Amino acid sequence: MTEQIVNSKKIKAGIIGGAGYTGGEMLRILINHPNVEIAFVNSSSNAGNLISDVHTDLFGDTDLRFINEIPQHIDVLFLCVGHGDAKKFLAANPINENIKIIDLSQDFRLTANAKFENREFVYGLPELNRDTIKTAKNIANPGCFATCIQLGLLPLAAKRLIKSEVHINATTGSTGAGQSLSTTSHFSWRNNNLSIYKAFEHQHLNEIGESLVQLQPSISEVLNFIPQRGAFTRGILASMYVESDLTLEEAQKLYEEYYSVHPFTHVSRKNIDLKQVVNTNKALIYIEKHGNKLFIISIIDNLLKGASGQAVQNMNLLFGLEETAGLKLKAANF
């Protein structure tokens, strides 16, 4: 049964990897979450330092310091670590089995990797697996590209309506590459620039494919995905098209009905832009019809709905809270 947290008892949360982008966003949300107490924030490279010395925007909001220990008197542990590091962390640091784990890396997202020692991870896309998430113990948080693209395709797959190849072009902000420096994350390279990487081979294709098969088991159509690095800080805009016999009105109603019970995903009948979702946990969908092609635009903030915000959304579901608790965030529209 889902745990019910009463108002007088706050969820005690621990964060591993609190110095990075996703760890910082986790802190910004949880500091203001009405039902959460941050028990500790672990960062081996910053142990002893004030959190506000690393995340300077949190000066005046918290006096917490990073620690190098991993206390076990918590309810939930967020793993805000790089890909491959979550599995290494859990192998080296046994965590009490009563502690729920929400992992933001890609280590446990695929069915083949969902079991690790005595833990089993549920794929944490609420718009796909909400009921399963509510009764789970461990969550594999989806990837940012995967979240944005899946939200654009799930309503079609739910009605077995993906009957042709899907063509996807998606652009992400520089924070999608993480905080560690690389050639393509330097300002002098990224600014006023645009580039394609991992064309047709991006790792998020695997989790997208598994989700679509979950809804449309007979699907065999190819997903053609071209990822791009954008000259902006945060957000993902994915545009995709597929052949469809649906009229525009039929498609809009299909999407609106699918997302009517999901508080963060909304279908707009006007064209959309990234500033509508940046700094929020929202996803917006916009649809057009061109001949026999259904054209879909999906937008999210890669660090929130694509990472830390969705992780908190999953925590809310795990502990029987309102799904939107702590996530009613303001967009930076200008």
Side-chain angles (χ1 to χ4, degrees):
M1 295 292 291
T2 302
E3 282 190 50
Q4 298 293 323
I5 299 295
V6 296
N7 292 333
S8 60
K9 181 186 177 185
K10 289 195 173 186
I11 300 164
K12 290 186 177 181
I15 300 173
I16 305 296
Y21 287 146
T22 58
E25 290 299 88
M26 190 68 64
L27 282 162
R28 292 177 186 98
I29 297 169
L30 295 185
I31 281 172
N32 295 299
H33 195 295
N35 307 101
V36 174
E37 173 191 340
I38 300 174
F40 72 88
V41 186
N42 177 288
S43 173
S44 56
S45 61
N46 285 282
N49 294 334
L50 285 166
I51 285 171
S52 57
D53 284 344
V54 174
H55 302 294
T56 55
D57 60 300
L58 293 178
F59 179 74
D61 292 331
T62 179
D63 294 322
L64 281 172
R65 293 179 181 270
F66 294 105
I67 66 171
N68 200 26
E69 296 78 32
I70 308 166
Q72 299 282 317
H73 300 297
I74 56 174
D75 301 302
V76 61
L77 184 66
F78 292 97
L79 301 183
C80 300
V81 298
H83 302 318
D85 292 337
K87 189 173 289 187
K88 293 177 185 176
F89 171 83
L90 291 177
N93 300 278
I95 301 299
N96 187 304
E97 64 180 15
N98 294 321
I99 296 172
K100 298 178 186 291
I101 293 177
I102 300 177
D103 175 39
L104 278 73
S105 81
Q106 66 181 14
D107 292 12
F108 308 111
R109 292 172 186 164
L110 300 181
T111 302
N113 304 325
K115 292 184 179 180
F116 182 76
E117 296 180 348
N118 63 335
R119 293 185 179 271
E120 185 166 356
F121 287 79
V122 168
Y123 187 66
L125 185 65
E127 290 80 1
L128 176 68
N129 288 330
R130 178 197 271 159
D131 290 340
T132 308
I133 292 166
K134 287 180 178 180
T135 59
K137 291 240 358 178
N138 309 289
I139 298 296
N141 218 54
C144 51
F145 268 135
T147 294
C148 193
I149 292 166
Q150 287 176 94
L151 293 177
L153 296 174
L154 292 182
L156 292 175
K159 295 294 186 181
R160 301 348 190 232
L161 292 176
I162 298 178
K163 300 177 181 178
S164 71
E165 290 191 6
V166 183
H167 299 272
I168 307 160
N169 183 286
T171 306
T172 187
S174 59
T175 52
Q179 200 168 35
S180 299
L181 286 176
S182 64
T183 303
T184 57
S185 64
H186 284 285
F187 176 83
S188 57
W189 186 91
R190 194 98 180 198
N191 189 46
N192 295 323
N193 203 1
L194 186 66
S195 66
I196 291 170
Y197 69 110
K198 297 183 181 178
F200 300 100
E201 298 176 350
H202 197 279
Q203 65 273 15
H204 287 185
L205 276 169
N206 294 322
E207 56 185 289
I208 297 168
E210 284 199 354
S211 295
L212 296 181
V213 167
Q214 182 177 327
L215 293 178
Q216 186 175 334
S218 63
I219 192 170
S220 60
E221 281 66 32
V222 174
L223 301 176
N224 301 294
F225 177 28
I226 311 298
Q228 295 184 162
R229 303 179 182 96
F232 53 92
T233 303
R234 56 198 295 166
I236 294 176
L237 186 149
S239 62
M240 57 205 92
Y241 66 89
V242 61
E243 293 180 9
S244 175
D245 295 328
L246 294 173
T247 66
L248 176 59
E249 184 67 23
E250 288 170 339
Q252 288 170 332
K253 286 184 177 180
L254 173 67
Y255 276 69
E256 288 166 352
E257 288 175 3
Y258 186 94
Y259 289 120
S260 63
V261 296
H262 296 287
F264 289 111
T265 303
H266 308 279
V267 181
S268 172
R269 297 208 174 196
K270 297 179 180 179
N271 203 349
I272 54 180
D273 63 84
L274 274 183
K275 284 192 174 182
Q276 292 175 266
V277 297
V278 167
N279 291 329
T280 80
N281 198 54
K282 291 194 297 186
L284 298 185
I285 310 290
Y286 171 71
I287 305 166
E288 294 180 353
K289 190 71 190 291
H290 297 274
N292 71 334
K293 293 184 174 59
L294 191 65
F295 178 60
I296 305 142
I297 300 173
S298 175
I299 56 174
I300 64 168
D301 184 313
N302 60 293
L303 291 178
L304 289 171
K305 183 58 176 166
S308 303
Q310 185 151 250
V312 173
Q313 183 180 354
N314 281 318
M315 179 200 72
N316 290 341
L317 291 170
L318 282 176
F319 289 94
L321 302 175
E322 288 294 326
E323 193 169 345
T324 58
L327 292 169
K328 296 177 181 179
L329 308 173
K330 175 188 174 297
N333 199 43
F334 53 84

